[in-house]
Amino acid sequence: NFRVAYDATNRYQSLFCTVSAGPIKSFVSFAADETITTFDGTLNKSITGDHVGFMWLLTKLGTQPQTALTSPTGPGAGIPAPEWGVNHKLNGLASYALTMFENSKLTEYQGGVVKPLHIIEGVYGWDPRLDSTYPGGSGSCRLLTPSTWVWIEEGAIAALNWCIGRWAGDSGSGTYGVPYACSLIGGIGSSLDGIDVASFVNAANVADANGWKVAAYPSTKDDKYAVLTNLLQASGAVPARKAGKISCVTHGEEQASVVSVTAADTAGPVEVSLGQSRLERFNTVLPRFWSEDHRWEMVQLAPITDTDWTTEDGGKRSRGIDYPTVPDADQA
């Protein structure tokens, strides 16, 4: 991120910032100090909000390659921001330039800068179900051709792409952001052979049947396994390991419980546990989810339980569960 003050009296402040790896689908809305602000489509100058005519916003979706963000132009836009030019391209990074202009009375921003809040429709990625080269797939989406990727709305497909990783730079053949041919900038970066792709596809199909979506903002600073867990949680699934591969198991549909027992398995003492004891199991959940209606804060919902469960258990036993990538109360 880059911030610069300029003009003779430093009345202009420009912020050049990244919001996500790209490409993303769109910048949906912008709020300055929690006030929704919209901008003219030609001059990029604010036309609603608390700073009409004194603020400009330009955005880039994070395509590769990508031209640099520029300073605003047009009447009242002042001079270009210094120390920022055409070589600051931010390839593969969704980004924005926010410029603020202080009025002659120094009352527009009162010596500070606004707190920006962007709502975005996030990244594109590979969906095997839309790839005719994948068994059972149908469509033109290809893992090694980022220009064919689709917008990700569902948690298991987001988790699959997190396993593959986000890649940036020139592959050497004039293509950009190609997995395994460029530089890894986020995610796990596993080879496709190291991923049980079919399990993610199954979890995604179950989630789609239930209408479950994902809303997430993982960071390269976050624990990679924790991100994987949270993305899968939005699809009613959990991480697993299958034959040494990254896999997952969905809890959104009934699973057949099958086990093969041989003589070797019964040599010696055998202990079988068919479930938790009454004292260990819980029957009431106190869920929190990531609420768009509350400016993307974690919001507590009412307890979820069933009288049959509490009657059988002899009372309520509660547990709080966070759903940090679930954007809908009913889904939580």
Side-chain angles (χ1 to χ4, degrees):
N1 295 339
F2 177 70
R3 173 181 172 181
V4 60
Y6 53 102
D7 196 22
T9 56
N10 284 339
R11 289 170 64 186
Y12 286 91
Q13 293 265 354
S14 286
L15 308 176
F16 297 87
C17 305
T18 60
V19 298
S20 171
I24 65 171
K25 184 179 180 182
S26 70
F27 284 83
V28 176
S29 66
F30 172 79
D33 291 333
E34 301 188 358
T35 299
I36 295 295
T37 303
T38 59
F39 298 84
D40 171 88
T42 302
L43 300 177
N44 307 111
K45 181 185 288 189
S46 56
I47 55 176
T48 67
D50 294 336
H51 304 286
V52 173
F54 288 86
M55 180 183 292
W56 295 262
L57 179 69
L58 296 96
T59 59
K60 294 286 185 179
L61 297 179
T63 55
Q64 299 187 59
Q66 178 171 262
T67 57
L69 288 161
T70 58
S71 301
T73 59
I79 58 178
E83 302 178 55
W84 186 271
V86 295
N87 292 325
H88 296 90
K89 297 179 180 180
L90 299 176
N91 286 321
L93 297 173
S95 53
Y96 69 92
L98 179 67
T99 298
M100 294 155 282
F101 177 57
E102 183 58 274
N103 62 34
S104 59
K105 298 180 181 179
L106 305 182
T107 59
E108 189 67 34
Y109 298 97
Q110 299 182 13
V113 298
V114 299
K115 179 182 179 181
L117 174 65
H118 293 271
I119 305 299
I120 66 172
E121 292 178 316
V123 296
Y124 288 82
W126 178 58
D127 189 334
R129 300 173 298 175
L130 302 177
D131 184 344
S132 58
T133 66
Y134 177 82
S138 176
S140 59
C141 188
R142 300 289 186 269
L143 172 62
L144 302 182
T145 310
S147 61
T148 66
W149 290 354
V150 296
W151 182 46
I152 301 174
E153 293 186 88
E154 189 282 316
I157 297 301
L160 171 61
N161 280 267
W162 179 257
C163 293
I164 295 168
R166 304 301 298 185
W167 303 76
D170 190 342
S171 67
S173 59
T175 55
Y176 292 78
V178 179
Y180 316 119
C182 300
S183 298
L184 181 67
I185 62 171
I188 295 174
S190 169
S191 69
L192 202 62
D193 289 339
I195 303 171
D196 177 18
V197 176
S199 68
F200 290 88
V201 169
N202 181 54
N205 289 334
V206 172
D208 281 349
N210 285 286
W212 293 338
K213 304 295 184 182
V214 66
Y217 192 61
S219 164
T220 54
K221 297 180 181 179
D222 297 333
D223 179 82
K224 291 180 174 58
Y225 184 79
V227 172
L228 176 63
T229 301
N230 289 337
L231 292 174
L232 286 171
Q233 184 191 50
S235 294
V238 294
R241 184 171 57 188
K242 180 179 179 180
K245 296 184 177 184
I246 304 172
S247 184
C248 69
V249 175
T250 176
H251 292 313
E253 66 176 355
E254 293 184 359
Q255 302 288 327
S257 182
V258 179
V259 61
S260 297
V261 180
T262 69
D265 297 313
T266 59
V270 175
E271 181 178 335
V272 178
S273 176
L274 300 180
Q276 291 178 310
S277 73
R278 183 183 300 178
L279 295 178
E280 293 174 328
R281 67 191 183 197
F282 64 95
N283 54 39
T284 302
V285 172
L286 306 173
R288 295 198 314 155
F289 79 107
W290 206 30
S291 173
E292 180 179 5
D293 291 339
H294 298 83
R295 296 294 179 91
W296 300 104
E297 297 288 341
M298 293 293 290
V299 172
Q300 183 75 60
L301 294 173
I304 307 298
T305 190
D306 187 288
T307 54
D308 289 343
W309 306 337
T310 54
T311 298
E312 180 179 344
D313 290 341
K316 287 186 178 181
R317 279 186 285 277
S318 303
R319 177 178 297 179
I321 300 181
D322 283 351
Y323 297 91
T325 62
V326 171
D328 179 76
D330 290 338
Q331 181 178 340

